[in-house]
């Protein structure tokens, strides 16, 4: 099952994650992200989490593990639209200093519509 | 006196596909107890962490059995154990420290134990180097209309 889609636009490399993100799924995703990041050298590496139903510390590891490489080539990391559970988990690992958590308007409107 | 109401014990191989299987077993076992959505999510995550640790750490470069058990009591407490016969943990205090990991180059972030601890009321770890590790987690589910306290 497809767990991620990678797309580049306007200096952002957007990694859209879907479904359940655990150690098993992370292993299949990681190399593709790194390859795309080195190819595009984006301004930001964005993890779009609005469609993630489950994530454990392996997902956290995927995001944090990109930091050293991203930092080296001047790429910032953005986590976009995490659900409350995932945002709390990110905060537990004290990541606020090294990456940005963002909630876009589109996803907020969706929430209202629900 | 609290009574044991239900129990499941299962053994599966240390392959990473079984992380999702373990979560499905948790959901299946707990569904009839009408758990709160967040509680179920907490428990699925805690079990996922424990099972992943068996696969990633205990049976590193090897493979073996993972034993998962869940017991449900009349006071709505749930006891979960996850056990392996893997390498064991030499320094438990260190292993349980937030952000400590022995596998940073594999994108482990050292938050597994912290997550298991925060998602259970009580977590205990017994480990013997060369013999294996057993995690026990206790979590009391909030009351449900469908299951009045007995
Ligand atoms: N079942 C286990 N068998 C052997 N070692 C383990 C086991 N579980 C955890 N560990 C050790 O404890 C450390 C911390 O575990 P954890 O908090 O889950 O972080 P992570 O899995 O990200 O390394 C691991 O890096 C590993 O060295
Ligand atoms: Mg772990």
């Amino acid at each position: 099952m497809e767990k991620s889609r990678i797309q580049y636009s306007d200096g952002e490399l957007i990694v859209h994650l879907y479904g359940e993100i655990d150690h098993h799924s992370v292993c299949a995703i990681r190399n593709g992200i790194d390859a795309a990041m080195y190819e595009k050298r984006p301004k930001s590496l964005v993890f779009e989490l609005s469609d993630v139903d489950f994530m454990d510390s392996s997902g956290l590891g995927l995001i944090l593990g990109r930091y050293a490489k991203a930092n080296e080539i001047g790429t910032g990391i953005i986590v976009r639209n995490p659900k409350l559970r995932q945002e709390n988990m990110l905060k537990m690992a004290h990541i606020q200093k090294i990456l940005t958590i963002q909630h876009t308007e589109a996803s907020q409107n969706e929430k209202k519509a629900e | 006196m609290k009574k044991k109401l239900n129990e499941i014990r299962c053994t599966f191989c240390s392959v990473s596909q079984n992380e999702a299987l373990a979560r499905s077993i948790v959901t299946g076992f707990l569904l009839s107890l009408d758990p709160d959505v967040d509680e179920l999510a907490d428990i699925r995550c805690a079990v996922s962490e424990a099972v992943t640790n068996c696969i990633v750490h205990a049976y590193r470069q090897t493979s073996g059995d993972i034993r998962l058990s869940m017991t449900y009591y009349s006071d709505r407490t749930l006891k979960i154990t996850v056990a392996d016969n893997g390498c064991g943990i030499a320094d438990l205090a260190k292993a349980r420290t937030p952000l400590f990991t022995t596998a940073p180059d594999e994108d482990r972030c050292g938050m597994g134990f912290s997550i298991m601890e925060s998602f259970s009321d009580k977590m205990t770890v017994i480990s013997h180097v060369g013999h294996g590790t057993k995690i026990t987690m206790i979590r009391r589910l909030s009351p449900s209309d469908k299951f009045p306290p007995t």
Side-chain angles (χ1 to χ4, degrees), chain B residues 46-87:
Chain B
V47 169
S48 195
E49 294 294 346
V51 168
T52 301
N53 279 352
C54 300
I55 294 165
V56 174
H57 304 295
Y59 296 120
R60 164 168 300 271
Q61 318 286 0
T62 63
S63 59
D65 285 346
I66 299 171
R67 296 185 305 282
L68 167 68
S69 83
M70 285 180 280
T71 313
Y72 176 69
Y73 298 93
S74 53
D75 63 352
R76 280 184 83 75
T77 52
L78 179 72
K79 178 176 151 185
I80 301 169
T81 68
V82 177
D84 64 68
N85 302 106
C87 64

CSV table of all heavy atoms in Angstrom, one decimal, chain B residues 46-87:
chain,number,residue,atom,x,y,z
B,46,ALA,N,1.4,2.2,22.3
B,46,ALA,CA,2.3,1.7,23.3
B,46,ALA,C,2.7,0.2,22.9
B,46,ALA,O,3.9,-0.1,23.0
B,46,ALA,CB,1.7,1.6,24.7
B,47,VAL,N,1.8,-0.5,22.4
B,47,VAL,CA,2.1,-1.9,22.0
B,47,VAL,C,3.0,-1.9,20.7
B,47,VAL,O,3.9,-2.7,20.6
B,47,VAL,CB,0.8,-2.7,21.7
B,47,VAL,CG1,1.1,-4.0,21.0
B,47,VAL,CG2,0.1,-3.0,23.1
B,48,SER,N,2.7,-1.0,19.8
B,48,SER,CA,3.5,-0.8,18.6
B,48,SER,C,4.9,-0.5,19.0
B,48,SER,O,5.9,-1.1,18.4
B,48,SER,CB,2.9,0.3,17.8
B,48,SER,OG,3.4,0.3,16.5
B,49,GLU,N,5.2,0.3,20.0
B,49,GLU,CA,6.5,0.6,20.4
B,49,GLU,C,7.2,-0.6,21.0
B,49,GLU,O,8.4,-0.9,20.7
B,49,GLU,CB,6.5,1.7,21.5
B,49,GLU,CG,6.0,3.1,21.1
B,49,GLU,CD,6.9,3.8,20.1
B,49,GLU,OE1,8.1,3.3,19.9
B,49,GLU,OE2,6.5,4.7,19.5
B,50,ALA,N,6.5,-1.4,21.8
B,50,ALA,CA,7.1,-2.5,22.5
B,50,ALA,C,7.5,-3.6,21.4
B,50,ALA,O,8.6,-4.2,21.5
B,50,ALA,CB,6.2,-3.1,23.5
B,51,VAL,N,6.6,-3.8,20.5
B,51,VAL,CA,6.8,-4.8,19.5
B,51,VAL,C,7.9,-4.4,18.5
B,51,VAL,O,8.8,-5.2,18.2
B,51,VAL,CB,5.5,-5.1,18.7
B,51,VAL,CG1,5.8,-5.9,17.4
B,51,VAL,CG2,4.5,-5.8,19.6
B,52,THR,N,7.9,-3.1,18.2
B,52,THR,CA,9.0,-2.6,17.3
B,52,THR,C,10.4,-2.8,18.0
B,52,THR,O,11.3,-3.2,17.3
B,52,THR,CB,8.8,-1.1,17.0
B,52,THR,OG1,7.5,-1.0,16.3
B,52,THR,CG2,9.9,-0.5,16.1
B,53,ASN,N,10.4,-2.5,19.3
B,53,ASN,CA,11.7,-2.7,20.0
B,53,ASN,C,12.2,-4.2,19.9
B,53,ASN,O,13.4,-4.4,19.8
B,53,ASN,CB,11.5,-2.3,21.5
B,53,ASN,CG,11.7,-0.8,21.6
B,53,ASN,OD1,12.0,-0.1,20.7
B,53,ASN,ND2,11.4,-0.3,22.8
B,54,CYS,N,11.3,-5.1,20.0
B,54,CYS,CA,11.7,-6.5,19.9
B,54,CYS,C,12.3,-6.8,18.5
B,54,CYS,O,13.3,-7.5,18.4
B,54,CYS,CB,10.5,-7.5,20.1
B,54,CYS,SG,9.6,-7.3,21.6
B,55,ILE,N,11.7,-6.2,17.5
B,55,ILE,CA,12.1,-6.5,16.1
B,55,ILE,C,13.4,-5.7,15.9
B,55,ILE,O,14.4,-6.3,15.3
B,55,ILE,CB,11.0,-6.0,15.1
B,55,ILE,CG1,9.8,-6.9,15.3
B,55,ILE,CG2,11.6,-6.0,13.7
B,55,ILE,CD1,8.5,-6.4,14.6
B,56,VAL,N,13.5,-4.4,16.3
B,56,VAL,CA,14.6,-3.6,15.9
B,56,VAL,C,15.8,-3.9,16.8
B,56,VAL,O,17.0,-4.0,16.3
B,56,VAL,CB,14.3,-2.1,16.0
B,56,VAL,CG1,15.5,-1.2,15.8
B,56,VAL,CG2,13.2,-1.8,15.0
B,57,HIS,N,15.6,-4.1,18.1
B,57,HIS,CA,16.7,-4.2,19.1
B,57,HIS,C,16.9,-5.6,19.6
B,57,HIS,O,18.0,-6.1,19.4
B,57,HIS,CB,16.5,-3.3,20.3
B,57,HIS,CG,16.2,-1.9,19.9
B,57,HIS,ND1,17.2,-1.1,19.4
B,57,HIS,CD2,15.2,-1.0,20.1
B,57,HIS,CE1,16.8,0.2,19.1
B,57,HIS,NE2,15.5,0.2,19.6
B,58,ALA,N,15.9,-6.3,20.1
B,58,ALA,CA,16.1,-7.6,20.7
B,58,ALA,C,16.6,-8.6,19.7
B,58,ALA,O,17.6,-9.3,20.0
B,58,ALA,CB,14.8,-8.1,21.3
B,59,TYR,N,16.0,-8.6,18.6
B,59,TYR,CA,16.4,-9.6,17.6
B,59,TYR,C,17.2,-9.0,16.4
B,59,TYR,O,17.0,-9.4,15.3
B,59,TYR,CB,15.2,-10.4,17.0
B,59,TYR,CG,14.4,-11.2,18.1
B,59,TYR,CD1,13.1,-10.9,18.4
B,59,TYR,CD2,15.1,-12.2,18.8
B,59,TYR,CE1,12.4,-11.7,19.3
B,59,TYR,CE2,14.4,-13.0,19.7
B,59,TYR,CZ,13.1,-12.7,20.0
B,59,TYR,OH,12.4,-13.4,20.9
B,60,ARG,N,18.0,-8.0,16.8
B,60,ARG,CA,18.8,-7.3,15.7
B,60,ARG,C,19.6,-8.4,15.0
B,60,ARG,O,20.3,-9.2,15.6
B,60,ARG,CB,19.7,-6.4,16.5
B,60,ARG,CG,20.9,-5.8,15.8
B,60,ARG,CD,21.6,-4.7,16.6
B,60,ARG,NE,20.5,-3.6,16.7
B,60,ARG,CZ,20.4,-2.7,15.8
B,60,ARG,NH1,21.2,-2.6,14.8
B,60,ARG,NH2,19.4,-1.8,16.0
B,61,GLN,N,19.6,-8.3,13.7
B,61,GLN,CA,20.3,-9.2,12.8
B,61,GLN,C,19.8,-10.7,12.9
B,61,GLN,O,20.4,-11.6,12.3
B,61,GLN,CB,21.8,-9.2,13.0
B,61,GLN,CG,22.5,-7.9,13.2
B,61,GLN,CD,22.6,-7.1,11.9
B,61,GLN,OE1,22.2,-7.5,10.8
B,61,GLN,NE2,23.1,-5.9,12.0
B,62,THR,N,18.9,-11.0,13.9
B,62,THR,CA,18.5,-12.4,14.0
B,62,THR,C,16.9,-12.3,13.9
B,62,THR,O,16.3,-11.3,13.6
B,62,THR,CB,18.9,-13.0,15.3
B,62,THR,OG1,18.3,-12.2,16.4
B,62,THR,CG2,20.4,-13.0,15.5
B,63,SER,N,16.3,-13.4,14.3
B,63,SER,CA,14.8,-13.4,14.4
B,63,SER,C,14.4,-14.3,15.5
B,63,SER,O,15.2,-15.2,15.9
B,63,SER,CB,14.2,-13.8,13.1
B,63,SER,OG,14.6,-15.1,12.7
B,64,GLY,N,13.2,-14.1,16.0
B,64,GLY,CA,12.7,-15.0,17.1
B,64,GLY,C,11.3,-14.7,17.3
B,64,GLY,O,10.6,-14.0,16.6
B,65,ASP,N,10.8,-15.2,18.5
B,65,ASP,CA,9.4,-15.1,18.8
B,65,ASP,C,9.1,-13.8,19.6
B,65,ASP,O,9.9,-13.5,20.5
B,65,ASP,CB,8.9,-16.3,19.6
B,65,ASP,CG,8.7,-17.5,18.8
B,65,ASP,OD1,8.7,-17.4,17.5
B,65,ASP,OD2,8.6,-18.6,19.3
B,66,ILE,N,8.0,-13.2,19.4
B,66,ILE,CA,7.5,-12.1,20.2
B,66,ILE,C,6.2,-12.6,20.9
B,66,ILE,O,5.3,-13.1,20.2
B,66,ILE,CB,7.2,-10.9,19.4
B,66,ILE,CG1,8.5,-10.4,18.7
B,66,ILE,CG2,6.6,-9.8,20.3
B,66,ILE,CD1,8.3,-9.3,17.7
B,67,ARG,N,6.1,-12.5,22.2
B,67,ARG,CA,4.9,-13.0,22.9
B,67,ARG,C,4.1,-11.8,23.4
B,67,ARG,O,4.7,-11.0,24.2
B,67,ARG,CB,5.3,-13.9,24.0
B,67,ARG,CG,6.0,-15.2,23.5
B,67,ARG,CD,6.2,-16.2,24.7
B,67,ARG,NE,7.0,-15.6,25.7
B,67,ARG,CZ,8.3,-15.4,25.7
B,67,ARG,NH1,9.0,-15.7,24.7
B,67,ARG,NH2,8.9,-14.8,26.7
B,68,LEU,N,2.9,-11.7,23.0
B,68,LEU,CA,2.0,-10.6,23.4
B,68,LEU,C,0.9,-11.2,24.2
B,68,LEU,O,0.3,-12.2,23.8
B,68,LEU,CB,1.5,-9.9,22.1
B,68,LEU,CG,0.3,-8.9,22.3
B,68,LEU,CD1,0.7,-7.6,23.1
B,68,LEU,CD2,-0.3,-8.5,21.0
B,69,SER,N,0.6,-10.6,25.3
B,69,SER,CA,-0.6,-11.0,26.1
B,69,SER,C,-1.3,-9.8,26.6
B,69,SER,O,-0.8,-8.8,26.9
B,69,SER,CB,-0.2,-11.9,27.3
B,69,SER,OG,0.2,-11.1,28.4
B,70,MET,N,-2.7,-10.0,26.6
B,70,MET,CA,-3.5,-8.9,27.2
B,70,MET,C,-4.5,-9.5,28.1
B,70,MET,O,-5.2,-10.5,27.7
B,70,MET,CB,-4.2,-8.1,26.0
B,70,MET,CG,-3.3,-7.2,25.3
B,70,MET,SD,-4.2,-6.4,23.9
B,70,MET,CE,-4.2,-7.6,22.7
B,71,THR,N,-4.7,-9.0,29.2
B,71,THR,CA,-5.7,-9.5,30.2
B,71,THR,C,-6.5,-8.3,30.6
B,71,THR,O,-6.0,-7.2,30.9
B,71,THR,CB,-5.0,-10.1,31.4
B,71,THR,OG1,-3.9,-11.0,31.0
B,71,THR,CG2,-6.0,-10.9,32.3
B,72,TYR,N,-7.8,-8.6,30.7
B,72,TYR,CA,-8.8,-7.5,31.1
B,72,TYR,C,-9.5,-8.0,32.3
B,72,TYR,O,-10.0,-9.1,32.5
B,72,TYR,CB,-9.8,-7.4,29.9
B,72,TYR,CG,-10.8,-6.4,30.2
B,72,TYR,CD1,-10.6,-5.0,30.3
B,72,TYR,CD2,-12.2,-6.8,30.4
B,72,TYR,CE1,-11.5,-4.1,30.6
B,72,TYR,CE2,-13.2,-5.9,30.7
B,72,TYR,CZ,-12.8,-4.5,30.8
B,72,TYR,OH,-13.8,-3.6,31.1
B,73,TYR,N,-9.5,-7.1,33.3
B,73,TYR,CA,-10.1,-7.4,34.6
B,73,TYR,C,-11.4,-6.6,34.8
B,73,TYR,O,-11.7,-5.6,34.2
B,73,TYR,CB,-9.1,-7.0,35.7
B,73,TYR,CG,-7.9,-7.8,35.7
B,73,TYR,CD1,-6.8,-7.3,35.0
B,73,TYR,CD2,-7.8,-9.1,36.3
B,73,TYR,CE1,-5.6,-8.1,34.9
B,73,TYR,CE2,-6.6,-9.8,36.2
B,73,TYR,CZ,-5.5,-9.3,35.5
B,73,TYR,OH,-4.4,-10.1,35.4
B,74,SER,N,-12.2,-7.0,35.8
B,74,SER,CA,-13.5,-6.5,36.1
B,74,SER,C,-13.5,-5.0,36.5
B,74,SER,O,-14.5,-4.3,36.3
B,74,SER,CB,-14.3,-7.3,37.1
B,74,SER,OG,-13.4,-7.4,38.3
B,75,ASP,N,-12.4,-4.5,37.0
B,75,ASP,CA,-12.3,-3.1,37.3
B,75,ASP,C,-11.9,-2.2,36.1
B,75,ASP,O,-11.4,-1.1,36.3
B,75,ASP,CB,-11.4,-2.9,38.5
B,75,ASP,CG,-10.0,-3.3,38.2
B,75,ASP,OD1,-9.7,-3.9,37.1
B,75,ASP,OD2,-9.1,-3.0,39.1
B,76,ARG,N,-12.0,-2.8,34.9
B,76,ARG,CA,-11.6,-2.1,33.7
B,76,ARG,C,-10.1,-1.9,33.6
B,76,ARG,O,-9.6,-1.0,32.9
B,76,ARG,CB,-12.4,-0.8,33.4
B,76,ARG,CG,-13.7,-1.1,32.8
B,76,ARG,CD,-14.5,0.1,32.5
B,76,ARG,NE,-14.2,0.7,31.2
B,76,ARG,CZ,-14.6,0.2,30.0
B,76,ARG,NH1,-15.3,-0.9,30.0
B,76,ARG,NH2,-14.3,0.8,28.9
B,77,THR,N,-9.3,-2.6,34.4
B,77,THR,CA,-7.8,-2.5,34.1
B,77,THR,C,-7.4,-3.5,33.1
B,77,THR,O,-8.0,-4.6,33.0
B,77,THR,CB,-7.0,-2.7,35.4
B,77,THR,OG1,-7.4,-3.9,36.0
B,77,THR,CG2,-7.1,-1.6,36.4
B,78,LEU,N,-6.4,-3.1,32.3
B,78,LEU,CA,-5.9,-3.9,31.3
B,78,LEU,C,-4.4,-4.1,31.6
B,78,LEU,O,-3.7,-3.2,31.9
B,78,LEU,CB,-6.1,-3.1,30.0
B,78,LEU,CG,-5.6,-3.8,28.7
B,78,LEU,CD1,-6.5,-4.9,28.3
B,78,LEU,CD2,-5.6,-2.7,27.6
B,79,LYS,N,-4.0,-5.4,31.4
B,79,LYS,CA,-2.6,-5.7,31.6
B,79,LYS,C,-2.0,-6.2,30.3
B,79,LYS,O,-2.6,-7.2,29.8
B,79,LYS,CB,-2.4,-6.7,32.8
B,79,LYS,CG,-1.0,-7.1,33.0
B,79,LYS,CD,-1.0,-8.1,34.2
B,79,LYS,CE,0.2,-9.0,34.1
B,79,LYS,NZ,0.2,-10.0,35.1
B,80,ILE,N,-1.0,-5.6,29.9
B,80,ILE,CA,-0.4,-6.0,28.6
B,80,ILE,C,1.0,-6.4,28.8
B,80,ILE,O,1.8,-5.7,29.5
B,80,ILE,CB,-0.4,-4.8,27.6
B,80,ILE,CG1,-1.8,-4.3,27.4
B,80,ILE,CG2,0.3,-5.2,26.3
B,80,ILE,CD1,-1.9,-3.0,26.6
B,81,THR,N,1.5,-7.6,28.3
B,81,THR,CA,2.9,-7.9,28.4
B,81,THR,C,3.4,-8.1,26.9
B,81,THR,O,2.7,-8.7,26.1
B,81,THR,CB,3.2,-9.1,29.2
B,81,THR,OG1,2.6,-10.3,28.6
B,81,THR,CG2,2.6,-9.0,30.6
B,82,VAL,N,4.6,-7.7,26.7
B,82,VAL,CA,5.3,-8.0,25.4
B,82,VAL,C,6.7,-8.5,25.8
B,82,VAL,O,7.4,-7.8,26.5
B,82,VAL,CB,5.4,-6.7,24.6
B,82,VAL,CG1,6.2,-7.0,23.3
B,82,VAL,CG2,4.1,-6.1,24.2
B,83,ALA,N,7.0,-9.7,25.4
B,83,ALA,CA,8.2,-10.4,25.8
B,83,ALA,C,9.0,-10.9,24.6
B,83,ALA,O,8.4,-11.4,23.6
B,83,ALA,CB,7.9,-11.5,26.8
B,84,ASP,N,10.3,-10.9,24.7
B,84,ASP,CA,11.2,-11.5,23.7
B,84,ASP,C,12.3,-12.3,24.3
B,84,ASP,O,12.5,-12.2,25.5
B,84,ASP,CB,11.8,-10.4,22.8
B,84,ASP,CG,12.7,-9.5,23.5
B,84,ASP,OD1,13.8,-9.9,24.0
B,84,ASP,OD2,12.3,-8.3,23.7
B,85,ASN,N,12.9,-13.1,23.5
B,85,ASN,CA,14.1,-13.9,24.0
B,85,ASN,C,15.3,-13.4,23.3
B,85,ASN,O,16.2,-14.1,22.9
B,85,ASN,CB,13.9,-15.4,23.7
B,85,ASN,CG,12.7,-16.0,24.4
B,85,ASN,OD1,11.7,-16.2,23.7
B,85,ASN,ND2,12.7,-16.1,25.7
B,86,GLY,N,15.4,-12.1,23.2
B,86,GLY,CA,16.5,-11.5,22.4
B,86,GLY,C,17.7,-11.1,23.3
B,86,GLY,O,17.9,-11.7,24.3
B,87,CYS,N,18.4,-10.0,22.9
B,87,CYS,CA,19.7,-9.7,23.5
B,87,CYS,C,19.6,-9.2,24.9
B,87,CYS,O,20.6,-9.2,25.6
B,87,CYS,CB,20.4,-8.7,22.6
B,87,CYS,SG,19.6,-7.1,22.5
